[in-house]
Amino acid sequence: MKTNALIETEAWEIALLLFVLMIISSFIGKKIGNYIQKRKSPKEKSTETSTLVALLFFLLAFTFGMSSDRYNSRRQIVVEEANDIGTAILRSDLYPDSTRALFRKDFKDYVEARISYYEVGPNLKGILKADSLSQVISGKLWKRATDLSKDPNNLAATQQMIPALNTMIDVTTSRLSGEKAKVPKSIMIMLFCLSFITAFYGGYSDGRNGRIDWLVQIGFCLLVSLVVLFTLDLDRPRRGFVNLDVPNQTIIDLRKNFE
């Protein structure tokens, strides 16, 4: 799971920096527009920025939708994992009491490992450590189930347990892959650049008209920055305002199976 400066920096810090730079871009555009205004022909028209604004809003909607879809996928897969683990735990009841006790002990450790997987937050080393521990425990569960499958007396239990364990193990890979999937860095950089350019030409256009409504310009920059803030926040479910605390509670609730 690779990291970079864009991912490591807090979303609110990026949004605040974007807002400040857009205001600065607007101010520079106004100054240049005023300078050109003094030298242009009285009949010459100022530059229109509606096309740039439309393009910026389209890109904002595109990136926000991408982040929202990824967040929903991550939320659903956490609930799916909880259901898969719960199913496998229940199927351990198909074995004799002595074997069932061994299964449930390992399942309890597995549940704790999966809870820890989320609770370590954005700490990359903690995530990889918890995921590695999960694989070790699931490997023990798989080996026990396959060893027991050699006994004809466990045929019915094996037919139920093996598919459940297989699904439980596979979903961890899907979950990890889902967390790695982010809005491409190139798209975010393009969004930032387009934001600066649009703010610049907004100030430039108003400057050539000999006026600038700073209330409208600041409101525009603030709106863009807020959309970017929530776009980034949705793409970082382990921190920020929008996270996976509620879906992850479904895995925490699995502890009730061992009370």
Side-chain angles (χ1 to χ4, degrees), residues 201-259:
Y201 275 104
Y204 175 78
S205 179
D206 285 349
R208 291 190 64 179
N209 286 328
R211 59 168 179 77
I212 184 168
D213 190 337
W214 281 110
L215 181 62
V216 173
Q217 197 67 17
I218 291 174
F220 170 75
C221 295
L222 180 61
L223 177 62
V224 172
S225 299
L226 286 175
V227 174
V228 169
L229 170 62
F230 284 102
T231 298
L232 292 171
D233 203 52
L234 282 169
D235 214 31
R236 304 170 179 195
R238 287 179 174 270
R239 55 182 172 173
F241 305 108
V242 184
N243 51 51
L244 295 176
D245 287 356
V246 174
N248 195 65
Q249 184 61 42
T250 57
I251 295 183
I252 295 176
D253 288 343
L254 291 173
R255 285 172 171 166
K256 297 176 182 178
N257 291 281
F258 309 103
E259 293 178 353

Side-chain angles (χ1 to χ4, degrees), residues 84-95:
D84 292 340
I85 296 173
T87 298
I89 292 172
L90 290 176
R91 291 184 180 179
S92 65
D93 293 341
L94 297 172
Y95 291 92

Side-chain angles (χ1 to χ4, degrees), residues 8-152:
E8 292 176 350
T9 306
E10 294 294 336
W12 68 267
E13 293 177 347
I14 296 175
L16 180 59
L17 179 62
L18 175 65
F19 174 74
V20 172
L21 292 178
M22 286 183 70
I23 293 295
I24 294 174
S25 297
S26 297
F27 180 77
I28 295 173
K30 173 184 177 298
K31 288 297 183 181
I32 295 176
N34 284 339
Y35 177 79
I36 295 178
Q37 171 66 20
K38 296 175 182 178
R39 290 164 175 74
K40 75 170 187 176
S41 168
K43 294 183 179 180
E44 191 175 347
K45 294 183 179 180
S46 61
T47 304
E48 295 293 336
T49 60
S50 57
T51 302
L52 276 174
V53 172
L55 179 59
L56 175 60
F57 283 169
F58 171 79
L59 190 56
L60 283 170
F62 175 76
T63 52
F64 184 85
M66 184 182 295
S67 291
S68 179
D69 289 343
R70 293 181 191 277
Y71 172 79
N72 286 330
S73 296
R74 296 184 187 112
R75 178 178 57 81
Q76 291 171 4
I77 205 166
V78 172
V79 176
E80 179 183 339
E81 180 179 13
N83 289 333
D84 292 340
I85 296 173
T87 298
I89 292 172
L90 290 176
R91 291 184 180 179
S92 65
D93 293 341
L94 297 172
Y95 291 92
D97 289 345
S98 58
T99 304
R100 173 179 176 273
L102 294 174
F103 267 116
R104 290 181 66 83
K105 180 181 179 301
D106 286 340
F107 274 124
K108 183 177 181 180
D109 293 339
Y110 186 79
V111 168
E112 294 301 324
R114 297 312 294 170
I115 292 173
S116 175
Y117 174 79
Y118 177 74
E119 291 185 342
V120 293
N123 185 306
L124 179 58
K125 290 183 179 179
I127 293 172
L128 295 178
K129 181 179 179 180
D131 185 63
S132 177
L133 179 59
S134 300
Q135 293 180 26
V136 170
I137 299 172
S138 62
K140 290 173 59 179
L141 287 164
W142 181 262
K143 186 177 186 306
R144 177 176 292 112
T146 54
D147 288 344
L148 290 169
S149 68
K150 299 172 183 178
D151 186 348

